[in-house]
Amino acid sequence: DAKTTQPNSMESNEEEPVHLPCNHSTISGTDYIHWYRQLPSQGPEYVIHGLTSNVNNRMASLAIAEDRKSSTLILHRATLRDAAVYYCILRESGGTSYGKLTFGQGTILTVHP
Amino acid sequence: KAGVTQTPRYLIKTRGQQVTLSCSPISGHRSVSWYQQTPGQGLQFLFEYFSETQRNKGNFPGRFSGRQFSNSRSEMNVSTLELGDSALYLCASSVAGQETQYFGPGTRLLVL
């Protein structure tokens, strides 16, 4: 599995935007970039995913570099409920990695009131 | 739709015992995956089942096994429990295994 690199931790203030970076220099052309987050005492939760173009949904935006070797998850206005561990994961499209998500250590996001 | 449910939520066992954990996927989801989460190793993939067949397996010893029933519900079993098996066991479901996965709250297992 291609590897991702994320900062161990980041901090933000409530209602400010948060940019969570992820490096994936060995990404292949068929790898999708997925983000999941895990709130305290809960299972991981899907946030967003993309292949080449930037993506937006109700939770966040995903900005993908032109060479696809890095991406940034953007939370437009952080709330206390966004405090979680954020995981950047590469998933091969059409491969045989059924059901398998390869989690790294993720980024612990702390949101201050 | 109801989310992924896992039972029991908490479990205490002693070394050498065996344990069975249950997972009910979201209605219509036929793929169920299992993960182990520990502070030291993080989240690690155990195996995936689809239509009662194991399609993918992680790097865990044979003491860890699973199965899936015709209604897509899945169970995982750990035999001869070791202290290191203490972990949060998470189940996730998806439509066919390659899409967004939806995780349950997990079963927290403590082995004494």
Side-chain angles (χ1 to χ4, degrees):
Chain A
D1 297 318
K3 183 176 169 58
T4 62
T5 304
Q6 301 177 249
N8 290 334
S9 62
M10 291 187 65
E11 297 186 17
S12 173
N13 295 317
E14 204 174 6
E15 298 191 6
E16 290 183 354
V18 181
H19 291 234
L20 298 165
C22 180
N23 288 319
H24 29 78
S25 58
T26 59
I27 191 171
S28 74
T30 56
D31 285 342
Y32 278 80
I33 302 158
H34 288 246
W35 284 82
Y36 283 74
R37 71 180 185 181
Q38 187 172 21
L39 280 65
S41 302
Q42 295 187 26
E45 173 189 33
Y46 167 81
V47 178
I48 200 167
H49 77 281
L51 183 62
T52 56
S53 303
N54 295 344
V55 183
N56 300 294
N57 67 21
R58 63 174 181 81
M59 290 180 68
S61 295
L62 176 60
I64 301 172
E66 195 169 335
D67 62 6
R68 301 210 323 127
K69 293 185 177 182
S70 66
S71 60
T72 302
L73 178 70
I74 302 166
L75 306 179
H76 295 285
R77 290 183 68 216
T79 69
L80 296 178
R81 292 187 60 193
D82 291 322
V85 181
Y86 286 79
Y87 297 98
C88 171
I89 298 166
L90 300 182
R91 287 210 73 183
E92 182 185 6
S93 170
T96 58
S97 60
Y98 301 113
K100 181 180 180 180
L101 293 173
T102 301
F103 289 85
Q105 293 305 307
T107 296
I108 300 171
L109 175 64
T110 302
V111 181
H112 299 288
Chain B
K1 278 185 182 179
V4 176
T5 58
Q6 293 187 245
T7 57
R9 293 293 310 279
Y10 303 92
L11 205 50
I12 300 176
K13 292 287 187 179
T14 57
R15 279 180 298 175
Q17 288 187 309
Q18 73 166 16
V19 67
T20 300
L21 312 181
S22 180
C23 172
S24 294
I26 291 171
S27 176
H29 286 193
R30 296 171 64 191
S31 169
V32 174
S33 299
W34 288 89
Y35 292 81
Q36 180 196 66
Q37 185 171 27
T38 60
Q41 299 298 318
L43 276 150
Q44 293 185 289
F45 172 76
L46 280 157
F47 30 64
E48 187 258 6
Y49 285 87
F50 179 83
S51 292
E52 304 178 63
T53 300
Q54 186 183 88
R55 293 193 301 185
N56 202 358
K57 189 177 189 305
N59 295 326
F60 279 83
R63 299 186 298 107
F64 292 82
S65 63
R67 60 177 176 169
Q68 187 180 34
F69 302 95
S70 58
N71 62 358
S72 295
R73 190 177 70 84
S74 176
E75 289 181 346
M76 69 162 283
N77 183 278
V78 187
S79 62
T80 319
L81 284 166
E82 301 177 359
L83 295 179
D85 296 333
S86 294
L88 179 67
Y89 289 89
L90 291 155
C91 160
S93 76
S94 64
V95 174
Q98 291 282 49
E99 318 80 358
T100 299
Q101 291 194 30
Y102 297 86
F103 284 80
T107 294
R108 188 164 295 281
L109 171 65
L110 177 62
V111 182
L112 300 176

